[in-house]
Amino acid sequence: MGRGRQKAKATRQAREMKYFSPQTDYSALQRELRSSKPSSRAMDHEERSEDEDDYSTYAEKYSDYD
């Protein structure tokens, strides 16, 4: 395939992807969001707060070295 046809094909595919809008099932999305368990972000935040406590201990201990 020549470069002109390759470019035309790529342009056509990009245009199809840009303007493609599938039908969204909002009720299924709503059910999924309602039934979701606590997100990993919330768990990471809890773990991080525990780590920060440990870090603050070290920060106080080694603050003379700053």
Side-chain angles (χ1 to χ4, degrees):
M1 203 180 322
R3 176 66 186 126
R5 287 195 291 169
Q6 285 178 336
K7 186 174 180 183
K9 184 177 180 181
T11 303
R12 184 174 56 249
Q13 288 173 338
R15 196 171 288 129
E16 287 174 4
M17 287 173 46
K18 180 178 180 180
Y19 295 111
F20 176 71
S21 58
Q23 295 297 322
T24 305
D25 186 5
Y26 292 108
S27 59
L29 179 61
Q30 188 176 23
R31 285 191 306 270
E32 182 178 340
L33 292 174
R34 282 184 185 165
S35 66
S36 66
K37 296 179 182 177
S39 67
S40 61
R41 288 183 180 176
M43 296 175 77
D44 289 343
H45 179 67
E46 291 173 2
E47 292 174 5
R48 213 175 298 138
S49 64
E50 292 174 4
D51 292 339
E52 289 173 2
D53 292 341
D54 293 337
Y55 178 75
S56 64
T57 308
Y58 291 116
E60 292 171 9
K61 184 176 179 181
Y62 296 108
S63 63
D64 297 334
Y65 295 108
D66 285 340

